[in-house]
Amino acid sequence: MIETLFVVNAPNSSKESTRRPVLPSPNQENRVLDPKKAQNIAISLRALNVTIEEVCEALSEGNADALGTELLESLLRMAPTKEEERRLKEYKNDSPFKLGLAERFLKAVLDIPFAFKRVDTMLYVANFGSEVEYLKSSFDTLEAQALVSAVKFK
């Protein structure tokens, strides 16, 4: 009884002889990006609930408020490598392969001049006020500490 539960069946040799076609089907998505990176970008885009058009419009206009700091930080993490950027720019729309969501998104963003430099700048501008407030409070703390130290040494 126990032996029948743990018996390994020999693979069917006729199944092994069946081969898959070497060329991908025309409706298959073209993979310019690493599949794991493409999946992470696609998940992030769905989670952030933004469209490609909204992001491109905000980047073109430099409107950091429309995107928010969370989305800007995510965009910086999505930045493609130089090789990925080159392949996306070389991709032709008349290709028989479709781009996946992540590739379409990055291709649209890369059509904007200096897109990721814009994202970095917009994030800096968005965080500038809170950074200034943090520095002011740090300087106040240092000033108070310096006064306490000066009184102790008199």
Side-chain angles (χ1 to χ4, degrees):
M1 167 105 170
I2 292 180
E3 292 83 14
T4 59
L5 293 174
F6 295 103
V7 172
V8 177
N9 293 333
N12 191 350
S13 60
S14 65
K15 288 183 182 177
E16 289 179 11
S17 64
T18 307
R19 296 187 181 251
R20 294 185 181 147
V22 176
L23 294 174
S25 63
N27 64 356
Q28 183 177 355
E29 293 178 349
N30 189 10
R31 290 293 175 194
V32 176
L33 300 175
D34 173 56
K36 188 173 183 178
K37 182 176 183 177
Q39 181 182 16
N40 288 341
I41 291 172
I43 290 169
S44 295
L45 289 174
R46 285 188 194 104
L48 294 167
N49 199 22
V50 292
T51 64
I52 295 172
E53 293 79 21
E54 290 172 342
V55 172
C56 290
E57 183 179 332
L59 283 177
S60 296
E61 295 172 358
N63 189 357
D65 296 330
L67 298 177
T69 56
E70 182 182 353
L71 179 59
L72 290 170
E73 289 170 352
S74 295
L75 286 173
L76 280 181
R77 287 190 301 272
M78 293 177 193
T81 64
K82 293 291 181 190
E83 177 64 21
E84 291 169 340
E85 186 174 336
R86 182 188 60 77
R87 286 188 284 175
L88 283 168
K89 286 184 177 181
E90 288 176 354
Y91 180 81
K92 303 290 184 229
N93 288 337
D94 58 350
S95 173
F97 300 107
K98 297 186 303 184
L99 288 177
L101 174 65
E103 286 92 352
R104 283 194 318 262
F105 174 76
L106 287 178
K107 182 157 178 51
V109 169
L110 288 173
D111 288 341
I112 300 168
F114 306 106
F116 287 97
K117 289 183 181 181
R118 287 179 187 224
V119 171
D120 194 30
T121 303
M122 291 167 66
L123 185 60
Y124 180 79
V125 169
N127 289 331
F128 186 75
S130 62
E131 291 291 328
V132 168
E133 290 302 316
Y134 175 75
L135 288 173
K136 282 181 181 178
S137 67
S138 295
F139 285 135
D140 290 343
T141 303
L142 286 172
E143 183 181 24
Q145 185 62 37
L147 290 175
V148 169
S149 298
V151 169
K152 286 184 181 178
F153 290 118
K154 282 189 176 184

